[in-house]
Amino acid sequence: MDRRTYLRSLAATGVAAGMTATAGCAGVLGGSGAEGTILGPPEQDLSEAVHPSYGDEMPDFTVPDPIAGEAISISEFEGDRAVLWTSFYTSCPDGVCPALILRLRRAQEYAAEQGFGDEAAFLPLTFDPERDTADVLREYAAQQAVDLDAGNWHFLRPESYEAGKELMMDNFGLKIEKTDGEQYEGLEYAFPHYGLILLVNKRGIVERAYPRGPSTDIETLVDDFERVVTA
């Protein structure tokens, strides 16, 4: 099955690829390849962005995976696996975080279909560890049809909210702050945040930064992903 046929079949799930960020999870506005990259330069130059972009090294940090019961370091994948990274929280009230997870999950499905899942790692990081416990993340994985048994998906959970804030600012230049969630039924607090997805090659170099991750075209992302993983 080719990529376009496969992705069209996935689109039957009814999740809109064109979802845009809203108040609960705001998106970022924002020749030859860079040294160490596989893809050519992106159409949008993000070199002035606060977060890592094309040609930058992926920041290295270590965060627990509470489901696997182990600490995960970004550097452990260098030389072995390409990485798709994003940040999210399971209580996201407006569908933006599920849209981010959807894109990573579609890439995971395609990698399994094409037989290169062992060359990829999917690393969504929650910045809401107070609510996103191991049990909550496990249930969320089931809801989002993530394959935790594939061995290539790690939900990353900082030890505390403060640790998550520090990690996001120090490594990605992104400010995470709780806001009043009373506008959302049953939600004490929410997080306006950036819908960023990063694609990192096996050398640890960022190939693509997708600043509007929730609305990034799934076929484009999976195409970029496959080219980087299989190069």
Side-chain angles (χ1 to χ4, degrees):
M1 181 185 300
D2 65 37
R3 181 188 307 104
R4 286 176 171 79
T5 301
Y6 183 71
L7 290 173
R8 279 197 297 269
S9 71
L10 291 174
T13 60
V15 180
M19 184 182 297
T20 57
T22 55
C25 296
V28 176
L29 297 177
S32 61
E35 183 177 357
T37 60
I38 294 159
L39 304 178
E43 292 183 4
Q44 182 181 10
D45 181 3
L46 297 172
S47 59
E48 298 301 316
V50 295
H51 58 73
S53 62
Y54 179 69
D56 292 334
E57 291 186 6
M58 178 66 173
D60 185 28
F61 50 86
T62 301
V63 185
D65 173 347
I67 295 176
E70 60 180 317
I72 301 297
S73 297
I74 300 298
S75 58
E76 72 185 69
F77 300 104
E78 289 186 22
D80 185 39
R81 296 176 185 248
V83 167
L84 275 173
W85 174 93
T86 194
S87 62
F88 78 108
Y89 68 117
T90 65
S91 300
C92 182
D94 49 27
V96 173
C97 290
L100 293 168
I101 298 299
L102 169 67
R103 280 148 180 78
L104 269 64
R105 192 258 292 172
R106 293 276 180 93
Q108 184 193 41
E109 289 177 336
Y110 186 73
E113 175 77 13
Q114 300 300 316
F116 55 84
D118 290 344
E119 299 179 68
F122 305 91
L123 307 178
L125 181 145
T126 176
F127 41 79
D128 188 15
E130 295 172 350
R131 293 184 294 203
D132 290 345
T133 63
D135 288 343
V136 169
L137 291 169
R138 191 177 289 107
E139 181 179 356
Y140 190 72
Q143 292 171 353
Q144 302 299 322
V146 168
D147 184 3
L148 293 178
D149 294 329
N152 56 14
W153 187 287
H154 296 279
F155 281 117
L156 305 181
R157 177 178 178 266
E159 297 284 1
S160 66
Y161 165 59
E162 292 300 326
K165 283 180 58 177
E166 183 177 352
L167 186 155
M168 291 293 290
M169 177 59 73
D170 290 352
N171 292 281
F172 301 99
L174 302 179
K175 185 177 182 179
I176 299 298
E177 291 286 353
K178 292 180 180 179
T179 61
D180 193 341
E182 289 186 357
Q183 61 180 309
Y184 305 107
E185 184 177 355
L187 199 62
E188 179 183 357
Y189 60 87
F191 291 93
H193 77 96
Y194 304 94
L196 177 67
I197 298 174
L198 295 179
L199 169 58
V200 184
N201 66 30
K202 295 175 184 178
R203 295 184 180 185
I205 305 298
V206 175
E207 293 277 358
R208 287 289 184 267
Y210 308 98
R212 299 180 180 90
S215 59
T216 295
D217 179 73
I218 293 175
E219 184 174 331
T220 297
L221 185 147
V222 173
D223 180 72
D224 291 344
F225 169 74
E226 182 181 27
R227 290 169 61 196
V228 168
V229 175
T230 61

